[in-house]
Amino acid sequence: MVRALLRSMPDSFANALSALPPDPPIDPALGRRQHAAYRAALEACGAQVQVLPADESCPDCVFIEDAAVVFEGVALIARSGAVSRRPEALAVAQALEKTFELVRMTEPATLDGGDCMRVGRTIYVGRSARTNAEGIAQLGRAFPRLRVVPVDLPPDVLHLKCVCSPLSEDRIALCEGTIPASTFSASALSIPREELYASNLVAIGQHAVVAEGYPRTHEALARAGFTLHPVPVSEVRKADGSLTCQSILL
Ligand code: CIR
């Protein structure tokens, strides 16, 4: 069974990082209800969910994906490219150390888990404002059995998985007009450009947690055989977050 590690949303989520000032402001109470819907959707996909407590001193801690990369018994504890987010990793490391061998990323490396997309035995990693060359090198050393493929991101893209996400061990969802499909050895299900945000989704077997309100993407995924679990995302979206970033699949 897939396990999913989540982290609750603090009241300070109102002050989460965002490229543009949120308008209207972030509503953490609504955000928590949406987070509960996300949790329920993961459970409906068959995942066993564990939720770490929020930390008021870490406004972005709900975006737990960025704090660690996990594969085959090893957890790489990331060093975020956003300085204010570095303290988030402590509690995530403590939660993972019971069942994983921890590898801690060290200065000057930076990496956000949102830049890492594993598909089978390949991990694609975005070269972004958050993830630097040393971060990519340390990722490769932590996971010697994975092929590491660095990917240049289009301008203004925060993380690799803002434009693509894994659907299975050999297939991804990829927004058209962003990264060339030829970059990936996996086959790509094309997400229409006007539904860019929907290219970030959590697939578990033949189930997928998707952002609500993207009919063309939903139709394409349903045609590909997925059972869909649409969830509301307005508040995480105001903080430049989406779906994969709210969990680490173990
Ligand atoms: C940040 O700017 O770091 C957060 N406000 C959003 C992070 C979203 N993470 C992700 O997509 N993996």
Side-chain angles (χ1 to χ4, degrees):
M1 179 190 264
V2 173
R3 289 190 299 134
L5 189 62
L6 276 62
R7 192 157 187 193
S8 294
M9 189 180 276
D11 288 334
S12 61
F13 184 63
N15 304 315
L17 296 177
S18 58
L20 301 171
D23 181 21
I26 292 172
D27 176 346
L30 175 58
R32 275 194 284 269
R33 290 198 293 278
Q34 295 180 342
H35 194 245
Y38 175 80
R39 176 195 179 143
L42 286 174
E43 287 171 340
C45 293
Q48 186 183 53
V49 173
Q50 180 190 350
V51 186
L52 302 183
D55 181 342
E56 285 297 337
S57 69
C58 295
D60 284 283
C61 66
V62 71
F63 299 125
I64 191 169
E65 167 183 68
D66 292 318
V69 180
V70 167
F71 181 65
E72 287 189 340
V74 173
L76 173 67
I77 304 304
R79 184 169 176 270
S80 178
V83 176
S84 69
R85 297 198 56 194
R86 289 187 189 151
E88 293 172 29
L90 188 65
V92 178
Q94 281 168 354
L96 293 175
E97 73 186 352
K98 296 167 197 124
T99 35
F100 290 86
E101 175 196 336
L102 295 193
V103 177
R104 290 173 201 275
M105 191 162 265
T106 55
E107 199 175 353
T110 65
L111 178 137
D112 279 7
D115 273 321
C116 299
M117 178 174 72
R118 187 186 63 78
V119 189
R121 302 207 75 82
T122 300
I123 189 158
Y124 299 94
V125 52
R127 282 194 261 250
S128 72
R130 299 289 178 87
T131 297
N132 65 16
E134 180 58 22
I136 296 172
Q138 290 189 21
L139 176 76
R141 290 201 287 277
F143 301 108
R145 286 155 59 82
L146 288 177
R147 181 173 71 110
V148 176
V149 178
V151 178
D152 290 320
L153 301 187
D156 301 327
V157 171
L158 176 62
H159 291 128
L160 174 66
K161 279 188 284 190
C162 292
V163 299
C164 55
S165 46
L167 291 178
S168 69
E169 295 293 294
D170 60 6
R171 198 167 193 208
I172 63 171
L174 172 64
C175 184
E176 64 188 14
T178 56
I179 298 167
S182 57
T183 306
F184 305 97
S185 35
S187 68
L189 183 144
S190 187
I191 305 298
R193 181 74 198 202
E194 63 275 20
E195 296 196 358
L196 169 70
Y197 185 78
S199 51
N200 182 281
L201 61 106
V202 179
I204 298 177
Q206 284 305 109
H207 290 263
V209 183
V210 294
E212 66 182 17
Y214 293 93
R216 292 183 61 195
T217 300
H218 294 182
E219 197 185 305
L221 288 166
R223 238 184 293 118
F226 284 94
T227 300
L228 301 186
H229 303 266
V231 292
V233 289
S234 65
E235 302 314 294
V236 289
R237 191 171 186 173
K238 288 178 193 169
D240 303 335
S242 43
L243 295 174
T244 62
C245 49
Q246 297 177 67
S247 57
I248 301 175
L249 299 184
L250 305 175

